Amino acid sequence: MKDVLNKSFRNNLITVPSCDEHNMNKSNLDEYLMANLSGKVGNNFVAYVHTATKVSRSRFRNPKIIKIEKETSFKLKNKEFPVLWITVDTNKLRHSFEAITRALYFYEYKEVFKGSCFVVSTIFNHEDDPKGTEFNKRSSDLLVLEQKHWNTKLQGSNPDIFTYQFSEIDGFKCQTLAMTFYEGTKVFVILNGMTEAEIKEAKPKLAFLTDAIFGDLN
């Protein structure tokens, strides 16, 4: 733990231009994002430390930053760890992931991405939404397999906290961004660069594929 506390995670931080109003709104979303990501079961020890320090301070300043359903604990190697069950605002998280995606796109390509973004992650799985959960699982599994064949560089100067990788652009003017938080939470964002007319033209060509993979979820 001492090594984690003494280690700097601010190497080569990515910055992009933004207005003051956007920065103020983003600050609140960043706190909410960290509160949800750092405490997720399956992440690394850095996430645990952030939960116990930064997130704890955020919750002290704003107790309503996360909505807690119940508090329990689990045992691991004769040690007991506290566990919070929380209600997640998926719209806030999707907005944050899209904002990160557009910022990274600008950082990489030096231009604003004007298309649409679609977020996929098992972080949105919920027992009350079996079809949505199954869709997230199948989509994430497919994208994990695809990522292994991307001929692009995995980026991130602080891999214990965050790494990202853009795929190549495909024949439908789409590419995917894979983001990994705390080595345990994977989020994919599909960037669609097609116009409405191009989307309409492409739908019949993609229908057989989507029906084969997700047809039973309709």
Side-chain angles (χ1 to χ4, degrees), residues 42-147:
N43 287 340
N44 59 20
F45 189 65
V46 178
Y48 177 79
V49 171
H50 280 180
T51 300
T53 54
K54 294 182 178 182
V55 174
S56 180
R57 291 193 294 270
S58 292
R59 289 183 60 203
F60 180 79
R61 291 192 304 270
N62 179 13
K64 295 182 180 180
I65 190 170
I66 53 176
K67 184 178 179 182
I68 300 173
E69 293 182 2
K70 61 181 178 179
E71 299 186 35
T72 58
S73 63
F74 74 94
K75 287 185 177 180
L76 179 64
K77 296 181 180 179
N78 297 321
K79 292 184 179 180
E80 198 165 283
F81 296 88
V83 175
L84 299 178
W85 293 79
I86 66 173
T87 299
V88 174
D89 188 329
T90 57
N91 288 330
K92 278 187 178 180
L93 291 185
R94 290 182 189 278
H95 181 81
S96 291
F97 293 137
E98 180 174 341
I100 294 171
T101 298
R102 292 182 183 277
L104 289 173
Y105 185 94
F106 184 86
Y107 178 78
E108 290 290 326
Y109 300 106
K110 305 299 182 290
E111 64 180 25
V112 175
F113 178 69
K114 297 179 180 179
S116 61
C117 294
F118 184 75
V119 183
V120 174
S121 176
T122 55
I123 195 175
F124 299 118
N125 290 358
H126 196 283
E127 59 184 10
D128 292 340
D129 182 19
K131 285 190 175 182
T133 295
E134 182 62 24
F135 175 84
N136 283 325
K137 183 181 181 303
R138 291 186 200 178
S139 300
S140 295
D141 287 347
L142 283 171
L143 290 167
V144 166
L145 291 174
E146 279 188 16
Q147 188 182 3

Side-chain angles (χ1 to χ4, degrees), residues 150-180:
W150 295 352
N151 295 313
T152 54
K153 185 180 178 182
L154 183 68
Q155 310 263 31
S157 299
N158 303 284
D160 290 336
I161 295 179
F162 179 68
T163 59
Y164 70 94
Q165 183 180 10
F166 280 97
S167 74
E168 299 90 348
I169 300 174
D170 65 22
F172 294 97
K173 295 184 181 179
C174 295
Q175 68 181 137
T176 303
L177 172 66
M179 298 183 284
T180 303

